[in-house]
Amino acid sequence: MKRSEVDRNKLSPMMQQYLEIKDNYEDTIIFFRLGDFYEMFFEDAVTVSHELELTLTGRNAGLEERVPMCGVPAKAYEGYLEKLIDKGYKVAIVEQLEDPKTTKDMVKRDVIQVVTKGTRLDTAIDAKSNNFLASLYAFDYCYVLSYSDISTGEVYVLVEEGSEDDLLRDILRHNFTEMIANTKMNRELINTLRTNYHLVVTFYDELYDQDDYEYIYKDLKDVREITGIKHLLSYLTTTKKGDLSHLQQAKVESKKAHLLLDNNTKRNLELTETVRLRERTFSLLWLLDKNKTAMGSRLLKQNLESPLTNIKEIEARYDFVDKLRVEFILRDDLKSNLDHVYDLERLAGRICYGNLNARDLLQLKSSLKVLPEIKKILKELNYKKEFETFEELYSLLDSSINEDAPLTLKEGSLIKDGYNEELDELRKLSSGSKDFILELEQKEKERTGIKNLKVGFNKVFGYYIEVSKGQVKELKEEYGYERKQTLSNCERFITPLLKEKENIILGAEEKIINLEYQLFMNIRQVVKRYINELQKTAAVIAEVDMLQSFSTVADLYNYVRPTITKAHDVEIIESRHPVIEQVMKKENKKYIANDIRMDEDTTILLITGPNMAGKSTYMRQFAITVIMAQIGCFVPCKSCKMPIFDKIFTRIGASDDLVSGESTFMVEMKEANLALKEATKNSLILFDELGRGTATYDGMSLAQAILEYIHDKIGAKTLFSTHYHELTTLANTLHHLVNIHVSAVEEEGKLTFLHKIKLGSVDKSYGLNVASLAHLPDSLIKRAKEILDVYENKNVKEREFTQTSLFSLDEEEIKEEEKTNEIEEAIKEIDPLNMTPLNALNFLYELKEKLVNKDK
């Protein structure tokens, strides 16, 4: 049954109320609060029951047929909500807006918030990653990209005046979880984002027209940026429907301030997740993240994806990392204190929005407690940035919030004794009355002589005196007992005195809960006044935490401080790949370090050598060293001198773009084209075996042309690995190109990789040796050698090659192997020490005859 099929006039008032709300949220699943459950109806019920594997039932709604329904418990709805959001759905939470006890009519209900992927404020979102919602606003001549993490309050804006391809790269570079776009936006691009990159995109045109959040964009000068922010704000306020005053002033993103990495480069270098399993483990982020706070981990990830280009800021980070290494005792004290700091940024968001609980305030208190000590340590370390320590706020929280407070706000036990006189009086009254109940039970036992009499309580009937069936006859009229409830094995009674005390106790408990809730809300309002300063403090703590993490890994893994030079030369001595080095160490293997040298006159290193020898690793470790250096981290080598790079482009590994139907070669050419168009003299280009996706001569020709173009027109530092040995002769004509190779040793047909980079080029390929290491059949390797000999014209008579079976031996091959085996067996049977010289000559003659006959 669908909503469109029913006669609404026949529906019950409650179902009519549901449909009125649903009409305003067509693309959203409605969680409709009914008592202790959130219910879903009609199409929503069918969808949710399928997605969450819930039982689909029905509900009487005034029609002859029951309408489809499913539900989830209100106390445990977060888990169900999270699953739906992760699947890309939007969910509107509909709550009761008034107490059913206070109204005779149907309870009013309405949407209190809409939860989407990019607007989540719950604790289920990844603590170590930002959760960015983006607004894409198209003008006739440019695009504005504004984005916010509503959980931390960060707001950014960027104007893109380039092509749609440039815009797409900007979007992918930021890894947004959700996006809104105005309807002027090209539908083709939106479909690409939805289909190829699984991004949740909603068309939305409204602009925020109130001035209560004007502070977010008041310092922006560009009307386009302001429009983008208003577009974002409109969607946020419409979905969240709450106080968002924790949103910070918008920061204009400057591309020049960061080392730009496109999505392919991030993936190829495995900065935040591995290519194969898309997991954090064994990524560079995994290795460097020794942060003690979630804020520090998020900042580290932001920096890895967008390193700095400002030398002054980078050097300031080096100085502090250096200081922490020298003052390692203070560093340990700092780390110990940071262990007690919770996620201040996201706590600030929950405080403002109003979905916090007492545990959140206890986390805030724990964080504030250690701030004075952290500030003292940082002063000793000459750290320049200042922050508040909030002694008054800590004192308030310490005196008010109960250490064992429950998660919910309507159960009591939120506020400590001694904080509020009225609350203390009510508690004494309630406690004294409960003591009276215990005394009453003892007195009634003595008065009636019924030893198993007891005083009990339940939510339906309140307090009662319970007497077993067999002893009811012993109750006398003068005791004043009034029957309240009859059960199968006992009777329950009430007395005027017990009724009086029940009213006092229950009234006191209800007052206590209400008063505690009001006091908690008042405390929250006080905390809200500190939000702005808390966010500033959080930013400082996050940076300090990230830098102590850099200092820790520098000591753990023996990293060194880079030297940033304004010259255009690179000298990295005994460079190592940081992640592979640690993985090999766990396997008790030694990593072979290599130098990376490129003087002012060298722009291209052309790398040759066998597969599996380490060419790709050598290229990756160069880029990773650059990234680590430009986030302020020390680097894995003996010494490092390098300039500041503005962009990194990579083409490493073969991959088809199956979604868009593009071949390996097309992907190669697109990525190469991006580098050739966007790279400057200050960029770094890594091309691994470019051109292998097409015919040999085509690939070789393109590779040479690309090398010449980079050499003559761009001048970017470039590492270019190839199996086209013919390209090594370019060193004779391209004076800024130097040949290097990864060395390997071949002995008796066996190949040993030395993983050592040396000057010059290799003069042969080791493809067959690598195939042999992969244990391909011996007959296949032998056949490949024969074909290779023909291609290389090496002392083999010309023969006509036809397609042969690579996986089975023909009759002639079997005979040849049998003859070879006969000769081997004959040699095994002789005893040279007991043969006369004449016998030995005769035996040798016989062997020769057999070999001659074998070749005929």
mmCIF file with all atom_site columns, all heavy atoms in Angstrom, residues 692-705:
data_model
loop_
_atom_site.group_PDB
_atom_site.id
_atom_site.type_symbol
_atom_site.label_atom_id
_atom_site.label_alt_id
_atom_site.label_comp_id
_atom_site.label_asym_id
_atom_site.label_entity_id
_atom_site.label_seq_id
_atom_site.pdbx_PDB_ins_code
_atom_site.Cartn_x
_atom_site.Cartn_y
_atom_site.Cartn_z
_atom_site.occupancy
_atom_site.B_iso_or_equiv
_atom_site.pdbx_formal_charge
_atom_site.auth_seq_id
_atom_site.auth_comp_id
_atom_site.auth_asym_id
_atom_site.auth_atom_id
_atom_site.pdbx_PDB_model_num
ATOM 1  N N   . ARG A 1 692 ? 53.256 2.074  -21.285 1.00 0.00 ? 692 ARG A N   1
ATOM 2  C CA  . ARG A 1 692 ? 53.236 0.606  -21.412 1.00 0.00 ? 692 ARG A CA  1
ATOM 3  C C   . ARG A 1 692 ? 51.866 0.071  -21.803 1.00 0.00 ? 692 ARG A C   1
ATOM 4  O O   . ARG A 1 692 ? 51.719 -1.085 -22.146 1.00 0.00 ? 692 ARG A O   1
ATOM 5  C CB  . ARG A 1 692 ? 53.653 -0.031 -20.098 1.00 0.00 ? 692 ARG A CB  1
ATOM 6  C CG  . ARG A 1 692 ? 52.696 0.263  -18.954 1.00 0.00 ? 692 ARG A CG  1
ATOM 7  C CD  . ARG A 1 692 ? 53.207 -0.283 -17.656 1.00 0.00 ? 692 ARG A CD  1
ATOM 8  N NE  . ARG A 1 692 ? 52.484 0.319  -16.534 1.00 0.00 ? 692 ARG A NE  1
ATOM 9  C CZ  . ARG A 1 692 ? 52.763 0.056  -15.272 1.00 0.00 ? 692 ARG A CZ  1
ATOM 10 N NH1 . ARG A 1 692 ? 53.715 -0.772 -14.965 1.00 0.00 ? 692 ARG A NH1 1
ATOM 11 N NH2 . ARG A 1 692 ? 52.073 0.640  -14.309 1.00 0.00 ? 692 ARG A NH2 1
ATOM 12 N N   . GLY A 1 693 ? 50.845 0.946  -21.735 1.00 0.00 ? 693 GLY A N   1
ATOM 13 C CA  . GLY A 1 693 ? 49.495 0.467  -22.012 1.00 0.00 ? 693 GLY A CA  1
ATOM 14 C C   . GLY A 1 693 ? 49.154 0.369  -23.483 1.00 0.00 ? 693 GLY A C   1
ATOM 15 O O   . GLY A 1 693 ? 48.017 0.054  -23.829 1.00 0.00 ? 693 GLY A O   1
ATOM 16 N N   . THR A 1 694 ? 50.111 0.622  -24.375 1.00 0.00 ? 694 THR A N   1
ATOM 17 C CA  . THR A 1 694 ? 49.820 0.548  -25.812 1.00 0.00 ? 694 THR A CA  1
ATOM 18 C C   . THR A 1 694 ? 50.950 -0.207 -26.502 1.00 0.00 ? 694 THR A C   1
ATOM 19 O O   . THR A 1 694 ? 51.842 -0.751 -25.851 1.00 0.00 ? 694 THR A O   1
ATOM 20 C CB  . THR A 1 694 ? 49.646 1.969  -26.394 1.00 0.00 ? 694 THR A CB  1
ATOM 21 O OG1 . THR A 1 694 ? 49.201 1.868  -27.741 1.00 0.00 ? 694 THR A OG1 1
ATOM 22 C CG2 . THR A 1 694 ? 50.939 2.759  -26.341 1.00 0.00 ? 694 THR A CG2 1
ATOM 23 N N   . ALA A 1 695 ? 50.933 -0.225 -27.839 1.00 0.00 ? 695 ALA A N   1
ATOM 24 C CA  . ALA A 1 695 ? 51.960 -0.946 -28.600 1.00 0.00 ? 695 ALA A CA  1
ATOM 25 C C   . ALA A 1 695 ? 53.344 -0.381 -28.293 1.00 0.00 ? 695 ALA A C   1
ATOM 26 O O   . ALA A 1 695 ? 53.500 0.800  -27.976 1.00 0.00 ? 695 ALA A O   1
ATOM 27 C CB  . ALA A 1 695 ? 51.666 -0.825 -30.097 1.00 0.00 ? 695 ALA A CB  1
ATOM 28 N N   . THR A 1 696 ? 54.356 -1.250 -28.406 1.00 0.00 ? 696 THR A N   1
ATOM 29 C CA  . THR A 1 696 ? 55.712 -0.895 -27.970 1.00 0.00 ? 696 THR A CA  1
ATOM 30 C C   . THR A 1 696 ? 56.205 0.401  -28.576 1.00 0.00 ? 696 THR A C   1
ATOM 31 O O   . THR A 1 696 ? 56.636 1.316  -27.873 1.00 0.00 ? 696 THR A O   1
ATOM 32 C CB  . THR A 1 696 ? 56.685 -2.035 -28.316 1.00 0.00 ? 696 THR A CB  1
ATOM 33 O OG1 . THR A 1 696 ? 56.224 -3.225 -27.678 1.00 0.00 ? 696 THR A OG1 1
ATOM 34 C CG2 . THR A 1 696 ? 58.093 -1.700 -27.845 1.00 0.00 ? 696 THR A CG2 1
ATOM 35 N N   . TYR A 1 697 ? 56.154 0.508  -29.908 1.00 0.00 ? 697 TYR A N   1
ATOM 36 C CA  . TYR A 1 697 ? 56.727 1.689  -30.545 1.00 0.00 ? 697 TYR A CA  1
ATOM 37 C C   . TYR A 1 697 ? 55.893 2.938  -30.269 1.00 0.00 ? 697 TYR A C   1
ATOM 38 O O   . TYR A 1 697 ? 56.431 4.037  -30.132 1.00 0.00 ? 697 TYR A O   1
ATOM 39 C CB  . TYR A 1 697 ? 56.880 1.441  -32.054 1.00 0.00 ? 697 TYR A CB  1
ATOM 40 C CG  . TYR A 1 697 ? 57.934 0.391  -32.346 1.00 0.00 ? 697 TYR A CG  1
ATOM 41 C CD1 . TYR A 1 697 ? 57.599 -0.813 -32.943 1.00 0.00 ? 697 TYR A CD1 1
ATOM 42 C CD2 . TYR A 1 697 ? 59.261 0.618  -31.972 1.00 0.00 ? 697 TYR A CD2 1
ATOM 43 C CE1 . TYR A 1 697 ? 58.559 -1.782 -33.185 1.00 0.00 ? 697 TYR A CE1 1
ATOM 44 C CE2 . TYR A 1 697 ? 60.237 -0.342 -32.218 1.00 0.00 ? 697 TYR A CE2 1
ATOM 45 C CZ  . TYR A 1 697 ? 59.889 -1.556 -32.824 1.00 0.00 ? 697 TYR A CZ  1
ATOM 46 O OH  . TYR A 1 697 ? 60.841 -2.497 -33.042 1.00 0.00 ? 697 TYR A OH  1
ATOM 47 N N   . ASP A 1 698 ? 54.564 2.780  -30.178 1.00 0.00 ? 698 ASP A N   1
ATOM 48 C CA  . ASP A 1 698 ? 53.719 3.910  -29.796 1.00 0.00 ? 698 ASP A CA  1
ATOM 49 C C   . ASP A 1 698 ? 54.093 4.400  -28.397 1.00 0.00 ? 698 ASP A C   1
ATOM 50 O O   . ASP A 1 698 ? 54.265 5.595  -28.146 1.00 0.00 ? 698 ASP A O   1
ATOM 51 C CB  . ASP A 1 698 ? 52.241 3.503  -29.786 1.00 0.00 ? 698 ASP A CB  1
ATOM 52 C CG  . ASP A 1 698 ? 51.651 3.439  -31.179 1.00 0.00 ? 698 ASP A CG  1
ATOM 53 O OD1 . ASP A 1 698 ? 52.358 3.831  -32.116 1.00 0.00 ? 698 ASP A OD1 1
ATOM 54 O OD2 . ASP A 1 698 ? 50.494 3.008  -31.311 1.00 0.00 ? 698 ASP A OD2 1
ATOM 55 N N   . GLY A 1 699 ? 54.186 3.439  -27.474 1.00 0.00 ? 699 GLY A N   1
ATOM 56 C CA  . GLY A 1 699 ? 54.498 3.774  -26.089 1.00 0.00 ? 699 GLY A CA  1
ATOM 57 C C   . GLY A 1 699 ? 55.851 4.440  -25.955 1.00 0.00 ? 699 GLY A C   1
ATOM 58 O O   . GLY A 1 699 ? 56.012 5.437  -25.235 1.00 0.00 ? 699 GLY A O   1
ATOM 59 N N   . MET A 1 700 ? 56.835 3.897  -26.668 1.00 0.00 ? 700 MET A N   1
ATOM 60 C CA  . MET A 1 700 ? 58.187 4.443  -26.611 1.00 0.00 ? 700 MET A CA  1
ATOM 61 C C   . MET A 1 700 ? 58.227 5.858  -27.174 1.00 0.00 ? 700 MET A C   1
ATOM 62 O O   . MET A 1 700 ? 58.853 6.759  -26.607 1.00 0.00 ? 700 MET A O   1
ATOM 63 C CB  . MET A 1 700 ? 59.150 3.535  -27.394 1.00 0.00 ? 700 MET A CB  1
ATOM 64 C CG  . MET A 1 700 ? 60.615 3.841  -27.134 1.00 0.00 ? 700 MET A CG  1
ATOM 65 S SD  . MET A 1 700 ? 61.683 2.936  -28.283 1.00 0.00 ? 700 MET A SD  1
ATOM 66 C CE  . MET A 1 700 ? 61.077 1.274  -28.102 1.00 0.00 ? 700 MET A CE  1
ATOM 67 N N   . SER A 1 701 ? 57.525 6.067  -28.266 1.00 0.00 ? 701 SER A N   1
ATOM 68 C CA  . SER A 1 701 ? 57.506 7.380  -28.903 1.00 0.00 ? 701 SER A CA  1
ATOM 69 C C   . SER A 1 701 ? 56.861 8.422  -27.988 1.00 0.00 ? 701 SER A C   1
ATOM 70 O O   . SER A 1 701 ? 57.363 9.542  -27.836 1.00 0.00 ? 701 SER A O   1
ATOM 71 C CB  . SER A 1 701 ? 56.740 7.313  -30.226 1.00 0.00 ? 701 SER A CB  1
ATOM 72 O OG  . SER A 1 701 ? 57.308 6.353  -31.087 1.00 0.00 ? 701 SER A OG  1
ATOM 73 N N   . LEU A 1 702 ? 55.728 8.028  -27.378 1.00 0.00 ? 702 LEU A N   1
ATOM 74 C CA  . LEU A 1 702 ? 55.050 8.948  -26.466 1.00 0.00 ? 702 LEU A CA  1
ATOM 75 C C   . LEU A 1 702 ? 55.916 9.244  -25.249 1.00 0.00 ? 702 LEU A C   1
ATOM 76 O O   . LEU A 1 702 ? 56.003 10.392 -24.792 1.00 0.00 ? 702 LEU A O   1
ATOM 77 C CB  . LEU A 1 702 ? 53.710 8.357  -26.028 1.00 0.00 ? 702 LEU A CB  1
ATOM 78 C CG  . LEU A 1 702 ? 52.565 8.497  -27.032 1.00 0.00 ? 702 LEU A CG  1
ATOM 79 C CD1 . LEU A 1 702 ? 51.428 7.562  -26.679 1.00 0.00 ? 702 LEU A CD1 1
ATOM 80 C CD2 . LEU A 1 702 ? 52.074 9.945  -27.063 1.00 0.00 ? 702 LEU A CD2 1
ATOM 81 N N   . ALA A 1 703 ? 56.552 8.207  -24.705 1.00 0.00 ? 703 ALA A N   1
ATOM 82 C CA  . ALA A 1 703 ? 57.405 8.393  -23.533 1.00 0.00 ? 703 ALA A CA  1
ATOM 83 C C   . ALA A 1 703 ? 58.521 9.388  -23.832 1.00 0.00 ? 703 ALA A C   1
ATOM 84 O O   . ALA A 1 703 ? 58.806 10.295 -23.028 1.00 0.00 ? 703 ALA A O   1
ATOM 85 C CB  . ALA A 1 703 ? 57.989 7.049  -23.092 1.00 0.00 ? 703 ALA A CB  1
ATOM 86 N N   . GLN A 1 704 ? 59.144 9.236  -25.001 1.00 0.00 ? 704 GLN A N   1
ATOM 87 C CA  . GLN A 1 704 ? 60.233 10.155 -25.361 1.00 0.00 ? 704 GLN A CA  1
ATOM 88 C C   . GLN A 1 704 ? 59.711 11.577 -25.535 1.00 0.00 ? 704 GLN A C   1
ATOM 89 O O   . GLN A 1 704 ? 60.328 12.542 -25.058 1.00 0.00 ? 704 GLN A O   1
ATOM 90 C CB  . GLN A 1 704 ? 60.926 9.693  -26.643 1.00 0.00 ? 704 GLN A CB  1
ATOM 91 C CG  . GLN A 1 704 ? 62.046 10.637 -27.081 1.00 0.00 ? 704 GLN A CG  1
ATOM 92 C CD  . GLN A 1 704 ? 62.867 10.104 -28.227 1.00 0.00 ? 704 GLN A CD  1
ATOM 93 O OE1 . GLN A 1 704 ? 62.925 8.893  -28.448 1.00 0.00 ? 704 GLN A OE1 1
ATOM 94 N NE2 . GLN A 1 704 ? 63.514 10.998 -28.968 1.00 0.00 ? 704 GLN A NE2 1
ATOM 95 N N   . ALA A 1 705 ? 58.583 11.704 -26.209 1.00 0.00 ? 705 ALA A N   1
ATOM 96 C CA  . ALA A 1 705 ? 58.012 13.044 -26.430 1.00 0.00 ? 705 ALA A CA  1
ATOM 97 C C   . ALA A 1 705 ? 57.659 13.713 -25.106 1.00 0.00 ? 705 ALA A C   1
ATOM 98 O O   . ALA A 1 705 ? 57.866 14.927 -24.934 1.00 0.00 ? 705 ALA A O   1
ATOM 99 C CB  . ALA A 1 705 ? 56.783 12.931 -27.323 1.00 0.00 ? 705 ALA A CB  1
#
